């Protein structure tokens, strides 16, 4: 009687793969254990298990989970659903045919049965996991890049967040006069400068096409006029002494701590800032997100926003791919997504999830996403890691004032040319 | 050594170690070397045979040259520092007295804690606002403060300091044992000759430390050429590869760029360099200078 | 005068060794934000909670037992077979002896993380993945190069006459080794034992891949979990507490045996 009831309940709750097939068996999930932990995946797995008798889900997580996943990919004995984290070369998995193409699942019904699963995702984010129109990786939470400041400090000093370059220069001068460094940055991880200053300014100066061309390795895109100008802007800030001294030697958390301790007035960082820094947040300090100041009258869309995702995937050799897909459908259903937003304080790639009760610090980033007419991402960082490394090295040298902005862009162009001419590197195309 | 049952003895004594070693180290190692002739991304079992292409690329790889140079600079710098300090402290741990007693109990401490702890700790010490700079400021030497891990000129030396701090204990122990092993008669004879201080050290002690030096220098070479965790955790090879070493570069190629085949070619290159250095060391220390004397 | 300079140098050295460690100890009790804000200051309040968080996150209890078991079991197998091989290679000239020694040394010149994938496949085929005995066997194998390398050095320096005398008394090769030569090489065994124990206690890369499940976790895995998770959460108080938790047992054990180790080591020692 009891089991019959469960069956009926199950049918009502539509607990199946979404395409009518019943989900059963064991589902193994391996997830990167970073700042958001794995507790939400564990609880989702538990609920899914209760809703689907006959299913057992095991979730394991590790801060270096990619090192555990790699040999299992080679052995063709991978987990069913995985979130391998930033240490995994995702596109190598795609190129080697190790990831299942998910388009037929995406065209199936969503978890709640309203519309297709595809429609639950923000299409801009879905695109980041596609090659040649095929989807191999699915987004979960999203990251929005901008700058951060302390509104109380700004109010007390009569400063206002700069919206454009000229305002920024004026403000920096005033901040510096107060004996505070205007800007801190995460020198040991140079992509913060690339994504927090270089890219937004290239977009502002040359339009988003300038960044699309650069990522598509169009000859001359990396030493183009906007690229050089943007590099010169960074160099100008450096030359005028607007960067916190010692930033080149600081890790992300170290430089952000200096900002929180009032040693610097602004810091470039993504929307995860609060969750990353909450343990060292001094009492009474509040932080607020702002869009990167643009160049007044620049060619680019001033609302353009740099975003990023850390994707989930189903391996080709997964033993229970249907189970994995059904579980991920559940995890990306609107109520679960809203729950993640509220508990973890991050934006999600799920349409409507920003209707959740957002933590205060997320209101500005969420508004920025809503207002943005252009969303773009740094994809060459994953596509061409060796080129990224060279660009990161070059920007570090520029920040150490060992090379000029001109030399910087020339090094970038040379790296792009090397990548372009290396037939062994698979090529990708970015589109908006 | 001679005697009956010699062959059976040799075989039976070598076998356990040889079998375990061959099965679990050599077999995977040979497979890994094999990868150096393939284009292999290390995330599937698909491999393409490309012959010596990886090795030919090696010779044009500027990052490889940078990493190797940095390794060699570390080897020279740390080598001199380690041998000098180890000898000095090894003399120090022998006598009596309160300081020496304390010294004896603590000199191995750094070696005892995990290298991860060492790296994290030194990263915080060399942080622009860390222990070291704060100390310099406290004694009015603000102009000596640097962004140790972020400046081109300082990143590698800073890593070297952390390495020496970490590795020194082992060599102190080796040299202490070596000094203790010098027969009393030798010291007495030197005493009678009236040789003292530095003179005695150079003429008597130094040559007698022959076999210890050989072990120390060989092991140090291997150690420095295979440094990974300290560099990776402290600087990640930065800024702009100024502190890149062979293994951090190799790690980048294998796991960041998914060039597993090329990474094994790099490892082979590193292996050959270490082999050549080790052979050179064996050549330098080929004869016991004490025995060689008439 | 010279003595005074020497003493000052030794004092400085002692300070250099101790200062960073003491600093970690003190910092582990600070509220996280103070560690970088005022590195030289004493904690404004003692945050014992740092330890509670570190302990909970890293699952220290079980990992501690696992690590102890793996380390001891590895040494129990490693030291005899390593010493046997080293002895033969040091004292018996036979064709190929040099090559075998060289092969053992070669193992030290190769980074473990490159061997991880083939080793993982091999262990899978041997059905020894995620087992303690599998990891112990791997640890024995990967500790052999260092063990053989150092012990060969010790055996070479033992006078042949002792062994020859024993054999004249009617001891076989094996008896001579176990009852005469091995006891003489005790200092070497101790040096090797200590350094292997330290290395094994702290080993991370192999355990991460070969022992994926939580119940088998060793201490470095727990600590790495902790230190790396802290990098995403900036919980530096707990990070430093974790560093202390992993350091302290080894330091205590070492401190306990230190005098004994020192005496035994210096009793025989490497001859120059």
């Amino acid at each position: 009687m009891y089991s019959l009831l469960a069956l009926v309940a199950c049918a009502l709750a539509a607990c199946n793969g979404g395409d009518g097939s019943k989900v059963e068996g064991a589902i193994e999930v391996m997830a990167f254990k970073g700042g958001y932990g794995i507790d939400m995946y564990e609880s989702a797995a538990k609920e899914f298990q209760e809703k689907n008798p006959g299913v057992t889900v095991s979730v394991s997580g590790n801060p270096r989970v990619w090192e555990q996943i790699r040999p299992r990919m080679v052995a063709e004995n991978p987990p069913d659903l995985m979130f391998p984290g930033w240490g995994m070369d995702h596109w190598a998995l795609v190129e080697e045919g190790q990831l299942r193409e998910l388009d037929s699942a995406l065209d199936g019904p969503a978890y709640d049965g309203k519309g297709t699963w595809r429609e639950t995702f923000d299409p801009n984010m879905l695109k980041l996991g596609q090659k040649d129109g095929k989807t191999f990786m699915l987004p979960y939470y999203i990251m929005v890049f901008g700058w951060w400041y302390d509104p109380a400090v700004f109010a007390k000093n009569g400063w206002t967040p700069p919206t454009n370059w000229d305002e920024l220069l004026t403000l920096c001068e005033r901040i510096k006069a107060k004996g505070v460094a205007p800007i801190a940055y995460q020198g040991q991880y140079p992509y913060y400068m690339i994504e927090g200053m270089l890219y937004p300014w290239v977009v502002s100066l040359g339009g988003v096409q300038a960044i699309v061309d650069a990522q598509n390795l169009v000859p001359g895109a990396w030493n183009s006029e906007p690229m050089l100008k943007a590099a010169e802007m960074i160099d100008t800030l450096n030359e005028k002494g607007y960067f916190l001294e010692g930033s080149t030697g600081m890790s992300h958390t170290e430089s952000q701590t200096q900002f929180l301790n009032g040693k610097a007035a602004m810091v470039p960082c993504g929307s995860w800032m609060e969750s990353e820094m909450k343990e060292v947040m001094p009492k009474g300090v509040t932080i607020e997100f702002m869009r990167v100041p643009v160049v007044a009258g620049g060619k680019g869309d001033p609302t353009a926003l740099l975003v990023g995702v850390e994707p989930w995937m189903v391996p080709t050799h997964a033993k229970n791919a249907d189970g994995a897909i059904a579980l991920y459908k559940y995890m990306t259903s609107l109520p679960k997504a809203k729950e993640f937003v509220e508990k973890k304080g991050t934006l999600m790639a799920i349409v409507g999830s920003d209707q959740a009760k957002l933590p205060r610090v997320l209101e500005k980033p969420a508004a920025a996403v809503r207002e943005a007419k252009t969303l773009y991402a740094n994809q060459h960082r994953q596509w061409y890691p060796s080129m990224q490394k060279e660009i990161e090295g070059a920007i570090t040298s520029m920040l150490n004032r060992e090379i000029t902005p001109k030399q910087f862009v020339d090094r970038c162009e040379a790296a792009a040319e090397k990548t372009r001419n290396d037939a062994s590197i698979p090529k990708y195309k970015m589109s908006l | 050594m001679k005697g009956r049952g010699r062959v059976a003895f040799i075989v039976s004594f070598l076998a356990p170690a040889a079998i375990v070693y061959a099965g679990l180290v050599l077999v995977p190692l040979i497979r890994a070397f094999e990868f150096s002739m393939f284009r292999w991304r290390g995330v599937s079992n698909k491999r393409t045979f490309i012959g010596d292409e990886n090795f030919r690329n090696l010779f044009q790889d500027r990052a490889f040259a940078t990493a190797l140079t940095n390794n060699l600079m570390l080897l020279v710098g740390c080598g001199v520092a380690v041998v000098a300090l180890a000898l000095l402290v090894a003399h120090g741990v022998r006598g009596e007295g309160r300081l020496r007693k304390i010294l004896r109990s603590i000199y191995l401490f750094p070696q005892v804690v995990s290298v991860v702890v060492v790296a994290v700790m030194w990263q915080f010490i060399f942080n622009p606002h860390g222990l070291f700079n704060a100390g310099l400021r406290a004694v009015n030497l603000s102009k000596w403060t640097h962004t140790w891990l972020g400046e081109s000129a300082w990143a590698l030396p800073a890593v070297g300091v952390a390495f020496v701090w970490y590795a020194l204990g082992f060599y102190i122990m080796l040299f202490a044992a070596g000094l203790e092993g010098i027969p009393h008669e030798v010291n007495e004879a030197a005493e009678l000759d009236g040789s003292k201080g530095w003179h005695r050290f150079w003429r008597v002690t130094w040559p007698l430390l022959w076999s210890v030096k050989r072990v120390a220098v060989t092991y140090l070479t291997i150690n420095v050429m295979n440094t990974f965790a300290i560099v990776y955790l402290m600087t990640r090879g930065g800024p702009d590869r100024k502190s890149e070493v062979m293994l951090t570069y190799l790690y980048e190629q294998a796991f960041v760029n998914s060039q597993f085949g090329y990474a094994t070619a790099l490892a082979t290159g590193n292996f050959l360099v270490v082999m050549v250095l080790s052979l050179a060391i064996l050549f330098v220390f080929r004869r016991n200078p004490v025995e060689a004397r008439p | 005068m010279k003595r005074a300079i020497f003493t000052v140098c030794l004092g400085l050295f002692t300070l250099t060794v101790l200062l960073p460690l003491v600093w970690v100890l003190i910092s582990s009790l600070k509220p996280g934000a103070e560690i970088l804000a005022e590195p030289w200051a004493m904690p404004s309040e003692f945050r014992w909670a740092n330890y509670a968080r570190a302990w909970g996150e890293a699952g220290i209890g079980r990992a501690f037992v696992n690590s102890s078991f793996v380390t001891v079991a590895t040494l129990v197998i490693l030291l005899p077979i390593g010493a046997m091989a080293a002895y033969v290679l040091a004292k018996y000239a036979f064709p190929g002896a040099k090559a075998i020694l060289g092969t053992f040394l070669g193992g030290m010149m190769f980074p473990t993380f490159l061997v991880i994938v083939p080793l993982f496949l091999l262990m899978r085929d041997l059905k020894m993945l995620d087992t303690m005995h599998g990891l112990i066997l791997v640890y024995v194998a990967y500790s052999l190069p260092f063990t053989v390398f150092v012990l060969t050095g010790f055996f070479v320096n033992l006078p042949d006459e002792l062994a020859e005398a024993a054999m004249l008394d009617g001891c076989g090769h094996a008896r001579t080794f176990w009852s005469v030569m091995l006891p003489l090489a005790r200092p070497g065994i101790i040096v090797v034992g200590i350094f292997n124990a330290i290395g094994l206690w702290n080993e991370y890369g192999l355990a991460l891949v070969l022992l994926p499940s939580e119940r088998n976790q060793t201490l470095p895995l727990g600590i790495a979990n902790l230190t790396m998770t802290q990098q995403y959460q900036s919980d530096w108080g707990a990070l430093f507490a974790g560093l202390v938790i992993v350091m302290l047992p080894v330091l205590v054990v070492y401190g306990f045996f230190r005098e004994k180790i020192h005496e035994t080591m210096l009793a025989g020692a490497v001859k120059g």
Side-chain angles (χ1 to χ4, degrees):
Chain A
M1 178 60 202
Y2 209 79
S3 58
L4 192 72
L5 213 77
L7 251 167
V8 174
C10 181
L12 288 174
C15 53
N16 52 45
D19 48 5
S21 66
K22 193 175 178 313
V23 175
E24 53 193 5
I27 304 170
E28 189 192 356
V29 183
M30 282 174 95
F32 166 62
K33 190 175 179 186
Y36 299 131
I38 59 163
D39 52 313
M40 289 294 288
Y41 317 142
E42 283 171 330
S43 63
K46 205 161 152 257
E47 292 157 22
F48 186 76
Q49 211 167 253
E50 280 158 13
K51 287 178 204 286
N52 294 272
V55 170
T56 51
V57 188
S58 65
V59 179
S60 66
N62 193 289
R64 298 188 79 78
V65 73
W66 54 84
E67 288 182 7
Q68 297 179 316
I69 290 176
R70 180 176 293 266
R72 295 190 53 181
M73 298 304 289
V74 179
E76 301 192 345
N77 174 33
D80 300 299
L81 178 66
M82 64 183 193
F83 166 34
W86 56 266
M88 175 62 85
D89 184 349
H90 301 148
W91 292 99
L93 294 175
V94 173
E95 294 303 325
E96 297 291 298
Q98 290 284 38
L99 298 183
R100 186 170 285 255
E101 195 201 320
L102 295 165
D103 289 292
S104 59
L106 282 168
D107 292 329
Y111 181 79
D112 57 10
K114 294 177 207 145
T116 64
W117 191 25
R118 189 184 294 278
E119 286 161 359
T120 50
F121 295 100
D122 179 332
N124 286 300
M125 307 302 161
L126 208 52
K127 217 169 46 194
L128 300 178
Q130 292 172 340
K131 187 182 187 190
D132 302 333
K134 291 179 184 153
T135 313
F136 296 96
M137 296 181 266
L138 295 177
Y140 192 64
Y141 52 76
I142 63 172
M143 300 169 289
V144 180
F145 293 84
W147 292 11
W148 292 82
Y149 68 101
D150 182 337
V153 171
F154 268 53
K156 194 184 79 194
N157 290 294
W159 302 333
T160 42
T163 57
N164 63 46
W165 173 247
D166 299 322
E167 286 175 26
L168 176 65
L169 286 182
T170 320
L171 177 66
C172 284
E173 202 51 48
R174 289 177 62 194
I175 295 172
K176 201 181 161 196
K178 286 264 176 181
V180 176
I183 304 166
Y185 64 86
Q186 305 81 340
Q188 289 212 338
Y189 298 86
Y191 54 79
Y192 282 88
M193 281 304 262
I194 296 174
E195 299 181 355
M197 288 188 196
L198 185 71
Y199 264 33
W201 288 339
V202 171
V203 170
S204 179
L205 289 159
V208 75
Q209 194 59 36
I211 277 303
V212 174
D213 287 348
Q215 301 209 36
N216 288 344
L217 307 178
V218 173
W222 276 100
N223 57 4
S224 65
E225 195 55 34
M227 196 66 84
L228 178 62
K229 272 263 177 58
E232 280 168 353
M233 285 161 73
I234 295 174
D235 198 48
T236 303
L237 296 177
N238 201 7
E239 197 187 345
K240 290 180 181 284
Y242 293 159
F243 290 138
L244 174 67
E245 206 180 321
S247 283
T248 26
M250 290 186 206
S251 73
H252 52 317
T253 46
E254 287 163 359
S255 60
Q256 287 153 211
T257 303
Q258 296 305 326
F259 158 73
L260 293 176
N261 288 345
K263 300 268 166 56
M266 294 174 278
V267 67
C269 188
S271 45
W272 61 84
M273 172 99 172
E274 160 106 354
S275 106
E276 188 170 74
M277 304 306 292
K278 60 175 180 280
E279 294 289 345
V280 284
M281 194 84 78
K283 273 198 187 68
V285 168
T286 53
I287 56 171
E288 192 77 273
F289 176 90
M290 63 189 258
R291 262 203 289 254
V292 184
V294 294
V295 179
K299 193 173 157 194
D301 168 15
T303 67
L305 208 57
L306 181 61
V307 292
V309 297
E310 293 193 317
W312 288 66
M313 43 205 98
V314 180
T316 309
H317 300 282
K319 284 178 218 67
N320 193 355
D322 290 340
I325 289 168
L327 172 61
Y328 198 55
K329 272 189 184 178
Y330 177 64
M331 287 169 65
T332 53
S333 63
L334 191 55
K336 292 306 289 176
K338 280 184 172 169
E339 195 187 334
F340 199 87
V341 171
E342 282 161 18
K343 290 227 168 104
K344 296 295 178 185
T346 172
L347 298 172
M348 301 282 288
I350 313 302
V351 177
S353 61
D354 61 342
Q355 300 304 316
K357 196 182 157 333
L358 292 175
R360 188 197 56 81
V361 285
L362 277 186
E363 284 164 12
K364 284 277 171 64
V369 174
R370 271 194 297 270
E371 288 157 20
K373 288 194 272 299
T374 316
L375 293 176
Y376 65 101
N378 175 356
Q379 290 191 274
H380 78 259
R381 183 172 149 201
Q382 275 100 33
W383 288 341
Y384 314 119
S386 59
M387 174 176 130
Q388 169 75 10
K389 176 85 184 183
E390 174 66 12
I391 294 169
E392 288 184 0
I395 201 167
T396 306
S397 277
M398 183 176 87
L399 289 165
N400 272 334
R401 299 194 67 83
E402 283 159 7
I403 61 171
T404 63
K406 178 82 182 92
Q407 285 166 315
F408 164 72
V409 295
D410 286 342
R411 262 181 75 174
C412 293
E413 181 65 23
E417 190 185 343
K418 194 165 163 242
T419 308
R420 190 163 60 235
N421 295 337
D422 188 339
S424 71
I425 301 176
K427 302 301 186 300
Y428 304 85
K429 274 275 171 278
M430 185 190 186
S431 60
L432 284 170
Chain B
M1 206 69 32
K2 297 200 170 61
R4 279 190 304 131
R6 189 171 178 272
V7 175
F9 170 73
I10 292 177
V11 171
S12 65
F13 260 50
L14 266 181
I19 290 170
V20 174
Y21 185 70
L24 292 173
V25 179
L26 291 185
V27 168
L29 203 63
I30 290 166
R31 301 237 34 210
F33 272 119
E34 213 181 295
F35 297 147
S36 67
M37 283 177 287
F38 288 83
R39 182 172 303 127
W40 183 44
R41 310 194 71 165
V43 295
S44 73
N45 54 19
K46 283 185 217 147
R47 288 187 279 276
T48 325
F49 183 80
I50 52 168
D52 64 345
E53 190 185 305
N54 284 329
F55 290 96
R56 276 187 282 122
N57 290 341
L58 204 71
F59 289 103
Q60 290 155 20
D61 189 341
R62 291 211 355 243
F64 169 73
T66 308
L68 188 58
T69 314
N70 288 342
N71 260 131
L72 294 175
M73 294 207 299
L74 269 185
L75 181 58
V76 174
C78 295
V80 172
V82 163
V83 172
L85 285 170
L87 266 172
L88 184 79
V89 182
H91 274 98
V93 297
R94 301 205 309 149
E96 287 305 312
R98 199 129 157 239
L99 177 63
R100 281 147 200 258
K101 255 204 163 122
I102 298 175
L103 192 59
R104 261 210 294 279
S105 42
I106 57 113
Y107 77 86
L108 262 185
F109 273 15
Q111 185 97 98
V112 168
V113 302
S114 121
V115 62
V116 174
V117 177
V118 173
V120 172
M121 191 179 85
W122 279 96
Q123 204 210 325
F124 274 89
I125 292 175
F126 281 132
N127 181 283
H129 297 265
L131 194 68
F132 194 46
N133 274 351
L136 285 174
R137 278 186 206 109
V139 294
N140 255 329
L141 288 173
S142 294
K143 62 176 186 298
W144 287 11
T145 59
H146 282 276
T147 307
W148 304 101
L149 300 177
E151 286 174 28
S152 300
W154 288 108
L156 194 62
V159 166
V161 168
F163 177 85
V164 171
W165 186 87
Y166 168 66
L168 196 58
F170 176 76
Y171 301 93
I172 295 175
M173 199 170 180
L174 265 183
F175 281 115
L179 288 175
E180 207 63 35
I182 295 175
H184 284 298
E185 308 85 65
V186 175
N187 279 328
E188 279 159 20
E191 203 84 36
L192 287 179
D193 284 353
S195 107
K196 267 194 186 141
W198 276 111
H199 184 251
R200 174 156 140 203
F201 174 77
W202 282 117
R203 295 280 301 160
V204 184
T205 316
W206 182 247
L208 279 170
L209 289 173
W210 166 74
S211 91
V212 182
K213 276 186 297 195
R214 191 171 63 167
V215 171
V217 175
T218 313
Y219 192 63
L220 190 67
T221 306
I222 294 173
N223 232 331
V224 173
M225 297 306 285
N226 284 330
T227 309
F228 174 70
I230 287 190
V231 181
Y232 185 74
L233 293 173
M234 282 177 70
T235 66
R236 302 160 62 81
D240 200 7
R241 297 206 193 279
K242 293 297 189 307
S243 64
E244 197 81 76
V245 290
M246 288 296 301
L247 287 209
T248 51
Y249 183 54
L250 197 152
Y251 185 89
E252 179 193 329
Q253 287 294 351
F255 298 112
V256 181
N257 298 353
S258 294
Q259 301 288 344
F260 227 89
Y262 186 58
T264 39
L266 282 170
T268 314
N270 189 39
F271 180 79
L272 292 177
V273 172
V274 182
M275 282 291 272
V276 169
L277 288 173
S278 306
L279 289 177
I281 291 161
L282 288 181
F283 181 76
V284 170
F285 292 100
R286 69 194 174 283
R287 278 163 62 205
N288 187 335
V290 183
E291 278 171 8
R293 246 178 252 165
Chain C
M1 181 60 201
K2 258 188 198 162
R3 256 202 110 63
I5 295 175
F6 187 54
T7 310
V8 169
C9 285
L10 291 182
L12 272 179
F13 175 78
T14 312
L15 209 63
T16 319
V17 170
L18 284 183
L19 189 68
L21 296 172
V22 172
W23 181 66
V24 169
L25 191 66
I26 292 173
S27 297
S28 72
L29 290 167
K30 285 182 175 179
E34 279 174 30
I35 293 175
L36 276 182
E38 292 148 74
W40 284 87
M42 288 306 280
S44 64
E45 49 169 320
F46 289 100
R47 281 277 179 93
W48 297 101
N50 289 344
Y51 279 85
R53 283 202 305 283
W55 187 274
E57 176 73 36
I60 307 274
R62 165 162 232 137
F64 205 92
V65 175
N66 287 343
S67 271
S68 311
F69 173 67
V70 169
T71 306
V72 171
T74 305
L75 288 180
V76 165
I77 304 172
L78 169 72
L79 291 178
I81 73 169
M84 283 154 65
Y87 177 67
V88 170
L89 292 172
K91 285 297 184 194
Y92 289 76
F94 63 92
K98 279 236 161 88
I100 293 177
L101 185 61
T103 313
F104 272 115
L105 298 193
M108 281 198 296
M109 303 175 191
F110 210 79
T112 345
F113 57 71
L114 263 195
V115 192
I116 285 259
V117 170
L119 185 64
F120 177 90
L121 300 176
L122 183 70
M123 296 302 281
R124 180 198 54 174
D125 295 342
L126 294 172
K127 302 258 178 300
M128 283 203 280
L129 270 185
D130 207 11
T131 65
M132 288 288 182
H133 61 269
L135 186 72
I136 290 167
L137 217 53
V138 169
Y139 275 0
V140 169
Y142 283 82
S143 311
L144 274 170
F146 172 76
T147 309
V148 171
F149 171 64
V150 177
L151 285 183
T152 317
F154 275 89
F155 281 121
V156 163
N157 278 309
L158 294 179
D160 286 349
E161 297 82 33
L162 287 172
E164 279 157 12
M167 296 195 47
L168 282 179
D169 284 350
C171 291
H173 293 283
R175 261 298 289 287
T176 306
F177 170 74
W178 293 113
S179 46
V180 180
M181 300 304 266
L182 188 61
L184 285 175
R186 209 167 55 179
I189 303 276
I190 288 179
V191 172
V192 164
I194 293 170
F195 281 94
N196 273 317
I198 295 168
L200 293 168
W201 182 261
N202 293 326
E203 202 285 329
Y204 173 67
L206 291 168
L208 175 69
V209 173
L210 299 178
L211 281 185
S213 69
E214 208 153 310
R215 78 196 142 81
N216 285 333
Q217 221 175 45
T218 55
L219 205 51
L221 291 180
I223 291 300
N225 251 339
L226 174 73
T227 53
M228 287 170 200
T229 316
Q230 292 333 311
Q231 301 192 344
Y232 305 109
Q233 293 169 348
S234 317
D235 189 355
W236 288 326
L239 168 63
F240 276 70
L243 298 186
V244 174
I245 292 174
V246 74
M247 275 183 347
L248 221 50
V250 205
L251 290 181
V252 168
V253 171
Y254 170 71
F256 198 72
F257 289 109
R258 173 188 47 84
E259 272 306 320
K260 186 92 200 105
I261 293 165
H262 203 74
E263 276 167 31
T264 329
M265 192 190 76
L266 297 188
V270 194
K271 296 273 192 310

